[in-house]
């Protein structure tokens, strides 16, 4: 029975009950609308039940497998998180470096906001924990926002004078003895990016920034290496790094060869040198002992010859 049939049936019933045309029309229209709405709900429910009955096993199995996979990923992430050192804000590790390590591990799986916050809090202690606790007490509406808690720690350990700190490190940056060339270049780029941060929406002269980094890179090298690189025309930082690596390898090889030559010369000179006074004294003692032994042997032979002659004459 459609909507029009409901309306006609109700209209006739109300007219038969003595209602006027207007009253019968309004009442039949309202009743037909209500009945049609109820019928539509019943149809939607029946349709949904039919779909669920057609593939309930496949849907449940897929959901189970997805949940199991997610659980395994989360367990692996928690295991990896155990390798991330705890942070208290007092050591040499900077929060920016530490949180990058933490986020890299957390990104291996998916967690809800509350779980991420608990895992973050489990990896901080001391003053860092006090910072988070204070934030939670002051801003109770934002304590379930993981990004807000990270920003709180970011402001605590890199707010205010952080640029001055990185600027000082950038100005004092030199290559450490034995440090790989690329590690040294990465340190300079890191300090420069923090000391001279770029702002979104503002034009940046990338060529000038790269040239400043190249100049600082050269300034932190030892004189013998810097002098061999300075005269070369290098267009970018990458070519400068490669040229420096090649030059450093040549210098290291020459240094090893020079050491080998010095060692060989030292051995040769020692073999040709005159014996020391101590050795001379030992040799003199040995010579005297040898002469005494020779005299003793001669006397012994002479006595034996005399003895045999005496025996034979008797």
């Amino acid at each position: 029975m459609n909507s029009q049939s409901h309306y006609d049936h109700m209209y006739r019933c109300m007219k038969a009950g003595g209602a006027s045309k207007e009253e019968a029309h309004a009442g039949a229209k309202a009743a037909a609308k209500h009945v049609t709405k109820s019928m539509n709900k019943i149809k939607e429910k029946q349709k949904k039940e039919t779909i669920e009955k057609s593939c309930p096993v496949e849907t449940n199995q897929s959901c189970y497998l997805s949940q199991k996979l997610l659980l395994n990923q989360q367990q692996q992430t928690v295991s990896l998180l155990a390798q991330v050192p705890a942070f208290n804000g007092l050591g040499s590790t900077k929060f920016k470096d530490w949180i990058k390590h933490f986020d890299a591990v957390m990104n291996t799986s998916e967690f809800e906001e509350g779980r991420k916050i608990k895992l973050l809090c489990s990896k901080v202690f001391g003053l860092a924990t006090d910072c988070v606790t204070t934030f939670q007490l002051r801003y109770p509406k934002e304590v379930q926002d993981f990004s807000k808690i990270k920003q709180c720690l970011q402001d605590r350990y890199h707010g205010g004078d952080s640029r001055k700190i990185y600027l000082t490190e950038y100005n004092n940056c030199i290559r450490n003895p034995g440090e790989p060339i690329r590690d040294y270049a990465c340190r300079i780029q890191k300090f420069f990016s923090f000391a001279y941060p770029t702002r979104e929406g503002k034009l940046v002269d990338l060529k000038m920034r790269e040239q400043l980094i190249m100049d600082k890179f050269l300034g932190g090298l030892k004189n013998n290496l810097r002098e061999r690189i300075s005269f070369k025309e290098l267009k970018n930082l990458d070519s400068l790094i490669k040229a420096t690596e090649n030059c450093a390898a040549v210098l290291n090889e020459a240094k090893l060869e020079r050491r080998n030559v010095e060692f060989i010369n030292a051995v040769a000179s020692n073999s040709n040198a005159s014996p020391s006074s101590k050795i001379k004294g030992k040799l003199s003692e040995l010579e005297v002992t040898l002469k005494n032994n020779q005299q003793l042997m001669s006397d012994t032979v002479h006595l034996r010859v005399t003895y045999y002659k005496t025996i034979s004459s008797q």
Side-chain angles (χ1 to χ4, degrees), residues 70-303:
L70 178 60
L71 182 61
N72 289 336
Q73 288 178 342
Q74 290 178 344
Q75 289 176 346
Q76 292 176 1
T77 300
V78 172
S79 299
L80 291 173
L81 201 60
Q83 301 176 14
V84 178
F87 179 81
N88 67 346
L90 295 178
S92 59
T93 303
K94 293 179 173 59
F95 179 75
K96 283 186 177 181
D97 298 329
W98 182 86
I99 199 62
K100 285 181 181 178
H101 188 186
F102 180 86
D103 284 339
V105 174
M106 291 295 292
N107 290 336
T108 60
S109 184
E110 296 180 1
F111 294 93
E112 59 182 12
E113 288 289 293
R115 183 79 184 281
K116 287 195 289 187
I117 293 172
K118 288 181 180 179
L119 290 173
L120 175 63
C121 292
S122 70
K123 299 302 296 184
V124 298
F125 68 101
L127 295 177
T129 299
D130 295 341
C131 179
V132 174
T133 303
T134 303
F135 176 81
Q136 291 173 333
L137 292 175
R138 292 181 60 187
Y139 306 100
K141 294 182 179 180
E142 299 179 352
V143 294
Q144 294 302 319
D145 191 331
F146 178 67
S147 61
K148 292 292 181 63
I149 293 182
K150 283 204 306 183
Q151 187 61 47
C152 162
L153 290 168
Q154 178 78 16
D155 294 341
R156 167 62 179 81
Y157 292 105
H158 294 287
D161 295 334
S162 61
R163 181 184 173 278
K164 294 181 180 179
I165 295 173
Y166 282 113
L167 182 60
T168 301
E169 293 189 15
Y170 172 76
N171 291 332
N172 297 332
C173 185
I174 60 173
R175 184 190 175 207
N176 297 321
E179 182 180 17
I181 300 295
R182 290 191 179 273
D183 290 354
Y184 166 60
C186 287
R187 279 201 302 125
I188 290 180
Q189 292 178 84
K190 171 186 171 182
F191 293 151
F192 183 85
S193 64
F194 288 147
Y196 300 99
T198 58
R199 295 184 180 180
E200 188 176 356
K202 288 195 173 184
L203 295 176
V204 177
D205 191 342
L206 297 179
K207 189 67 178 176
M208 178 58 68
R209 289 175 67 89
E210 185 177 35
Q211 186 61 51
L212 291 173
I213 294 174
M214 292 172 66
D215 292 342
K216 182 59 183 175
F217 177 88
L218 287 171
L221 298 175
K222 287 188 175 181
N223 292 336
N224 60 341
L225 184 56
R226 183 173 62 251
E227 289 172 356
R228 287 168 172 78
I229 297 295
S230 297
F231 70 90
K232 296 184 178 181
E233 294 184 2
L234 301 168
K235 296 181 179 180
N236 52 53
L237 180 61
D238 188 53
S239 60
L240 174 61
I241 293 172
K242 290 179 181 179
T244 306
E245 286 178 330
N246 294 334
C247 188
V250 172
L251 288 176
N252 287 335
E253 187 176 351
K255 185 177 181 180
L256 290 174
E257 186 177 353
R258 186 169 62 253
R259 286 182 177 179
N260 291 335
V261 171
E262 291 175 354
F263 176 76
I264 293 172
N265 292 337
V267 172
S269 62
N270 287 335
S271 62
N272 297 328
S274 58
S276 62
S277 58
K278 187 175 181 179
I279 295 176
K280 284 183 178 180
K282 291 290 184 181
L283 289 175
S284 299
E285 292 178 4
L286 184 61
E287 186 178 359
V288 171
T289 302
L290 182 60
K291 287 182 178 180
N292 291 336
N293 290 339
Q294 289 177 343
Q295 183 64 39
L296 181 61
M297 287 291 293
S298 177
D299 294 341
T300 302
V301 171
H302 179 70
L303 288 174

Side-chain angles (χ1 to χ4, degrees), residues 6 31-44:
H6 285 299
K33 184 178 180 181
H34 178 73
V35 171
T36 302
K37 186 177 180 181
S38 300
M39 291 298 294
N40 289 337
K41 287 184 178 180
I42 293 173
K43 288 180 180 179
E44 287 292 331

